């Protein structure tokens, strides 16, 4: 979304995110006009539907590009409601993991995008809510549960202000000398965790930015390297003078747990991890590493030795004023289930040892 000079309220966006998750109607009001939307995957039947709003990548999959050749191909696309559409058909249109089950869809008629700014805000709300970027466009006769502006959504994205909520001693298997610090987002109460290991001194700590991965960290998934990375990082930090593990609540590279599992389903259909995210309508990597920078600043850490294979993490911290004098590689052996995933990270997203 393009920046705006208007001042938004991130709490309005937080309420809109909650409403979309509950299947409620949300009204997005821009300076020019307004649209009313309901998330296809969570809403119940709504009678006053005037169109469907889809992400640009989903529209491309559905062969809608030629119908909007004069439009910006990065913008969402609005299509007319197909004849006899029910919610099962709407979900099949929205969810790319269902394409093999429901291959016959369309033809679709693209409609003019009346409010590109609000439509783009809707796509960002979907990501923030962990929902598919696909909406029913609802008529003005329906009553919206929440009203939000594109500026509110921008403000939510920019309002990553954190506060330390609490801290406690937490001996862990890697090192009994550890302290856990909980951070809470002011905008939406999302929490993040720092685990400080060892005795702090004036040297730059060894730091690992680890994004939450329920399947890998907790269930031991072999599809990714997250669990082994987490445990290896804890041991390498423990072997240093001192260090910090930042556990960021940004599941699935920022698209949420359910959408990550949808990406897994697409990988089973032959798409790699990059193409799966794009096919779902999201960025290749939607994480926000400025959150980690704020955590370090609240801990009074101006410079780190960063334990990572991802150059984007180095750049993300440096852009927020955190020094990274040294990058330390994190070497994890592959297995037959994640070898292609690791090769994709290396070849398509620039990860390196």
């Amino acid at each position: 979304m393009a920046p705006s000079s208007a001042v938004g309220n991130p709490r309005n966006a937080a309420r809109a995110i909650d409403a979309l998750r509950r299947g409620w109607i949300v009204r997005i009001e821009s300076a020019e006009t307004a649209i009313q939307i309901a998330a296809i995957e969570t809403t119940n039947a709504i009678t006053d539907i005037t169109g469907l709003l889809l992400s640009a990548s989903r529209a491309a999959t559905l062969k809608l590009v030629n119908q909007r050749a004069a439009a910006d191909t990065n913008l969402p696309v609005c299509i007319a409601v197909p004849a006899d559409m029910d919610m099962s058909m709407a979900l099949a249109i929205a969810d790319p993991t269902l394409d093999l089950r429901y291959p016959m869809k369309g033809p679709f008629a693209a409609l003019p995008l009346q409010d590109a700014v609000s439509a783009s805000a809707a796509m960002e709300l979907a990501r923030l809510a962990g929902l598919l970027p696909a909406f029913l466009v609802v008529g003005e006769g329906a009553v919206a549960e929440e009203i939000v502006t594109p500026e509110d959504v921008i403000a939510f994205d920019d309002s990553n202000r954190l506060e330390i909520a609490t801290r406690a001693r937490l001996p862990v298997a890697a090192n009994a000398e550890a302290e856990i610090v909980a951070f809470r987002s002011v905008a939406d109460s999302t929490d993040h965790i720092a685990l400080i290991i060892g005795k702090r001194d004036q040297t730059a700590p060894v730091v690992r930015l680890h994004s939450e991965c329920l399947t890998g960290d907790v269930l031991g998934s072999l599809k990714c390297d997250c669990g082994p990375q987490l445990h290896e990082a804890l041991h390498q930090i423990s072997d240093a003078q001192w260090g910090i593990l930042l556990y960021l609540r940004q599941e699935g590279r920022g698209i949420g747990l359910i959408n990550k599992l949808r990406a897994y389903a697409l990988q089973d259909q032959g798409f790699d991890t990059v193409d799966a995210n794009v096919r779902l309508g999201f960025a290749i990597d939607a994480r926000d590493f400025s959150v980690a920078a704020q955590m370090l600043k609240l801990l009074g850490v101006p410079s780190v030795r960063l334990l990572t294979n991802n150059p984007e993490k180095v750049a993300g911290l440096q852009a927020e004023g955190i020094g990274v004098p040294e990058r330390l590689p994190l070497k994890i052996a592959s297995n037959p289930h994640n070898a292609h995933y690791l090769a994709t990270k290396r070849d398509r997203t620039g990860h390196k040892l």
Side-chain angles (χ1 to χ4, degrees):
M1 286 171 40
S4 170
S5 58
V7 177
N9 184 343
R11 295 188 183 277
N12 291 340
R15 287 192 292 269
I17 291 166
D18 181 66
L20 291 173
R21 287 171 175 161
R22 295 173 184 272
W24 297 346
I25 297 171
V26 169
R27 182 178 179 86
I28 305 177
E29 296 183 342
S30 71
E32 301 297 327
T33 183
I35 60 171
Q36 297 199 145
I37 58 170
I40 287 177
E41 68 172 294
T42 58
T43 191
N44 294 319
I46 295 175
T47 56
D48 189 15
I49 304 171
T50 62
L52 278 69
L53 186 65
L54 306 173
S55 68
S57 61
R58 185 59 178 155
T61 300
L62 295 174
K63 310 301 182 185
L64 286 163
V65 175
N66 291 336
Q67 297 186 46
R68 56 190 180 91
D72 182 344
T73 56
N74 293 316
L75 288 176
V77 174
C78 191
I79 64 172
V81 179
D84 302 323
M85 187 190 76
D86 59 14
M87 294 310 300
S88 295
M89 180 190 293
L91 188 59
I93 293 170
D95 188 349
T97 67
L98 301 177
D99 284 349
L100 295 182
R101 192 185 309 174
Y102 303 102
M104 302 302 292
K105 294 188 287 289
F108 301 108
L111 299 174
L113 192 63
Q114 301 294 340
D115 188 348
V117 174
S118 293
S120 296
M123 297 296 111
E124 181 62 6
L125 284 172
R127 183 190 71 80
L128 293 168
L131 300 172
L132 287 168
F135 296 96
L136 303 175
V137 181
V138 183
E140 291 292 322
V143 177
E145 296 289 341
E146 297 291 345
I147 298 175
V148 68
T149 69
E151 292 76 23
D152 294 333
V153 180
I154 293 170
F156 186 93
D157 275 336
D158 292 341
S159 69
N160 292 321
R161 186 166 66 84
L162 302 177
E163 295 176 345
I164 293 179
T166 192
R167 57 201 308 163
R169 189 178 71 87
L170 183 69
V172 296
N175 194 313
E177 292 292 331
E179 179 189 23
I180 190 167
V181 183
F183 300 79
R184 179 177 291 142
S185 166
V186 174
D188 66 347
S189 297
T190 297
D191 47 33
H192 305 275
I193 296 297
L195 187 70
I196 304 173
I197 295 175
K199 294 184 178 180
R200 180 169 182 164
D201 59 20
Q202 297 303 311
T203 62
V206 173
V207 170
R208 169 69 181 168
L209 276 57
H210 188 88
S211 298
E212 178 182 34
C213 178
L214 174 70
T215 49
D217 299 343
V218 179
L219 303 178
S221 168
L222 298 177
K223 288 179 69 73
C224 65
D225 57 345
C226 299
Q229 279 192 333
L230 173 62
H231 295 290
E232 178 62 21
L234 285 171
H235 285 291
Q236 289 195 35
I237 292 171
S238 183
D239 290 340
Q241 177 64 30
W242 75 292
I244 307 171
L245 174 81
L246 299 181
Y247 197 83
L248 309 176
R249 305 298 297 277
Q250 300 187 27
E251 180 85 47
R253 296 202 298 271
I255 66 173
L257 175 62
I258 292 176
N259 284 322
K260 182 181 81 169
L261 299 183
R262 290 186 173 113
Y264 281 179
L266 288 173
Q267 289 170 34
D268 290 341
Q269 294 177 18
F271 299 94
D272 67 25
T273 182
V274 169
D275 289 335
N277 269 33
V278 172
R279 196 171 181 87
L280 284 168
F282 299 107
I284 295 170
D285 192 335
R287 289 175 292 183
D288 180 5
F289 297 124
S290 70
V291 172
Q294 284 195 63
M295 295 167 73
L296 291 169
K297 290 175 183 178
L298 288 170
L299 294 172
V301 177
S303 179
V304 303
R305 300 166 62 206
L306 193 61
L307 190 58
T308 186
N309 303 329
N310 185 355
E312 291 297 322
K313 291 184 178 180
V314 176
L317 290 186
Q318 290 176 331
E320 298 295 324
I322 300 295
V324 186
E326 184 179 10
R327 183 187 71 84
L328 305 172
L330 191 59
K331 298 180 180 179
I332 301 295
S334 64
N335 67 62
H337 301 279
N338 69 12
H340 181 60
Y341 167 79
L342 296 179
T344 299
K345 289 206 297 183
R346 180 195 65 215
D347 298 338
R348 300 196 65 185
T349 63
H351 285 224
K352 55 187 178 182
L353 294 177

